[in-house]
Amino acid sequence: MTQSFKITLLPGDGIGPEIMAVAVDVLNEIGKQSNLSFEFEEALIGGAAIDARGEPLPPETLEICKQSDAVLLAAIGGYKWDSLPRHLRPETGLLGLRAGLELFANLRPATILPQLIDASSLKREVVEGVDIMVVRELTGGIYFGQPRGIFATETGEKRGVNTMAYTESEIDRIGRVAFETARKRRQKLCSVDKANVLEVSQLWRDRMTALASEYPDVELTHLYVDNAAMQLVRNPRQFDTIVTGNLFGDILSDAAAMLTGSIGMLPSASLGSSGPGVYEPVHGSAPDIAGTDRANPLAMVLSAAMMLRYGLNQSESADRIEEAVLKVLDQDYRTGDIMSEGMTLLGCRAMGDALIQAIGGK
Ligand code: NAD
């Protein structure tokens, strides 16, 4: 029997529409071969939405997203909208989408592909085989805690304040996403905090430890954030899944991503407790190469694979997309951003065609 899914497409700006077109072709091909049918609906976000509707996240876009099983987002932003006031900036649309869908968990894999190992700034023997998933809490912690602001003290001096706060339920819900994620991987979860100094981290550690009894198949360890940062560059292979709060996750997920050295290859997923998740590349809209058929569509395509795995429970189809990406790299096909000597340079569309062939279509 054919399984059917409603997918909202948000191509956005810059290279967004180019890489989205490749992801749609790949999904259609996978669908044909795996008895999955995708009903795509396109909506406006970012600069494209500002131009057409005067705001970066029109209400109808959020509504269409809410009605779907998953949302694929390419990228937003560009020079044209850089000088607009904050509420009209493309990024505000992205933040509004995350808030509107209550996406509290951000999943960012950092996987070293053997074909691109020399793109890493670390030594081959350190990064070979690295396969990490960082699960970052996205809607709480110090980025949202109250009180916040810059206040005048009694002496007239200014004092800046932010508050790092987590409730038990906020910790539990991100903890559950992390344990479930680890379950789908190598069953190892490392929780990162600063429990030697911060009370909020002590509560974080207590809750993670309590949750572990519900997941006896997952091995839980704890690290202080300073040590975690060090271990990530010293011996990244020791990690499977990492779970951490908003601030620590912001920093560690960028550090982990850069182990791979290639921004055009990195997908991500943002998930809520119910409702659709948003799947998008880590990179931006690359306005410098937009419209020139030079974009690397692989991060977008790998984001579609994450959608299949984490949003639609179609791991087998996700595996097939990831295998196709490895295959085209094995065939020495490269876009400009990951090009090296002796490889064959392809444009965005041609890379898409190579992927379809690798999946077994056309
Ligand atoms: P960027 O990621 O767009 O580009 C950085 C560099 O990497 C550029 O040289 C670009 O050409 C290259 N690059 C990025 N993705 C690529 C791909 N798929 N293939 C080939 N090359 C690629 O970051 P930036 O230049 O700092 O930002 C450009 C715009 O994107 C800004 O308006 C920014 O606000 C926005 N942005 C959006 C997101 C998002 O949509 N989530 C994330 C980051 C930045």
Side-chain angles (χ1 to χ4, degrees), residues 15 74-78 82 91 94 263-264 280 282-289 294-296 337:
I15 61 169
I76 51 108
D82 274 353
E91 297 82 354
L94 198 54
I263 193 162
E280 56 179 315
V282 167
H283 63 71
S285 59
D288 52 333
I289 57 166
R294 279 189 288 164
N296 182 350
D337 57 316

Side-chain angles (χ1 to χ4, degrees), residues 191-250:
S191 171
V192 173
D193 60 39
K194 191 71 184 166
N196 49 343
V197 179
L198 303 174
E199 284 77 4
V200 57
S201 277
Q202 279 168 18
L203 182 65
W204 178 281
R205 191 173 279 222
D206 290 349
R207 290 313 309 162
M208 288 294 164
T209 306
L211 280 179
S213 60
E214 292 176 32
Y215 301 88
D217 50 324
V218 177
E219 179 202 332
L220 174 71
T221 55
H222 304 274
L223 274 186
Y224 298 134
V225 62
D226 42 345
N227 191 15
M230 193 171 75
Q231 296 300 331
L232 259 181
V233 287
R234 193 186 72 89
N235 176 19
R237 260 196 306 266
Q238 68 186 287
F239 294 107
D240 171 22
T241 307
I242 292 174
V243 61
T244 189
N246 207 341
L247 171 65
F248 301 154
D250 193 0

Side-chain angles (χ1 to χ4, degrees), residues 161-183:
V161 178
N162 289 90
T163 303
M164 190 187 269
Y166 274 115
T167 61
E168 288 178 300
S169 55
E170 282 176 319
I171 301 169
D172 286 5
R173 67 180 187 174
I174 188 74
R176 288 208 160 82
V177 170
F179 276 103
E180 297 287 344
T181 304
R183 230 176 211 174

